[in-house]
Amino acid sequence: MNDAEYQLLARAAATCHMSIAGFLARAALNAAHDLGRTAADIAGEREMLHELFALRRHLGQLGNNLNQVAKALNSGADASQAEAVLAAVQCAARRVDAFTQHHLDNRTAG
């Protein structure tokens, strides 16, 4: 394992609030329990997780924007960006819905 791989592993373990040894043991056991997974299944899962994390980041940013709009409105200030923020929230909700439906359709087809 090179330094970059080790750092990736260490970050993954820390994200899961686990030791590296515990993370490796859990990953190995999960792999051993599911030997029938294909490379396509794994790639699809990675894509799904990537999209979920991207959605989570985007929703967090929108939440911050929405809080700023609420703060402005509650203080009596003009919140000219309110419509744009609400439109972005609606767009994000549609993105979540589309992603969820796509994932469910793929699970039932496979």
Side-chain angles (χ1 to χ4, degrees), residues 10 13 31 33 35 37 41-42 51 55-56 61 67 72 75 81 84 93-94 105 109:
H33 286 296
L35 293 174
R37 280 188 351 164
D41 293 334
I42 294 168
E51 178 67 10
L55 283 168
R56 182 179 177 192
Q61 293 165 346
N67 284 338
S75 69
Q81 71 277 24
R94 286 191 298 273
D105 291 345

Side-chain angles (χ1 to χ4, degrees), residues 6-110:
Y6 180 80
Q7 291 303 317
L8 178 64
L9 180 61
R11 281 192 305 273
T15 299
C16 295
H17 306 290
M18 299 176 77
S19 67
I20 293 174
F23 182 82
L24 286 172
R26 182 175 220 171
L29 287 171
N30 285 342
H33 286 296
D34 199 5
L35 293 174
R37 280 188 351 164
T38 65
D41 293 334
I42 294 168
E45 186 176 298
R46 282 186 188 140
E47 181 180 305
M48 178 187 65
L49 290 174
H50 177 75
E51 178 67 10
L52 285 173
F53 280 110
L55 283 168
R56 182 179 177 192
R57 279 190 308 276
H58 186 65
L59 290 172
Q61 293 165 346
L62 288 174
N64 286 337
N65 292 345
L66 200 53
N67 284 338
Q68 291 171 357
V69 167
K71 183 178 179 182
L73 291 173
N74 286 334
S75 69
D78 181 35
S80 59
Q81 71 277 24
E83 285 186 39
V85 170
L86 291 176
V89 169
Q90 290 172 333
C91 182
R94 286 191 298 273
R95 182 176 168 194
V96 170
D97 287 345
F99 172 77
T100 303
Q101 190 61 54
H102 174 75
H103 180 66
L104 290 173
D105 291 345
N106 286 341
R107 283 192 80 163
T108 57

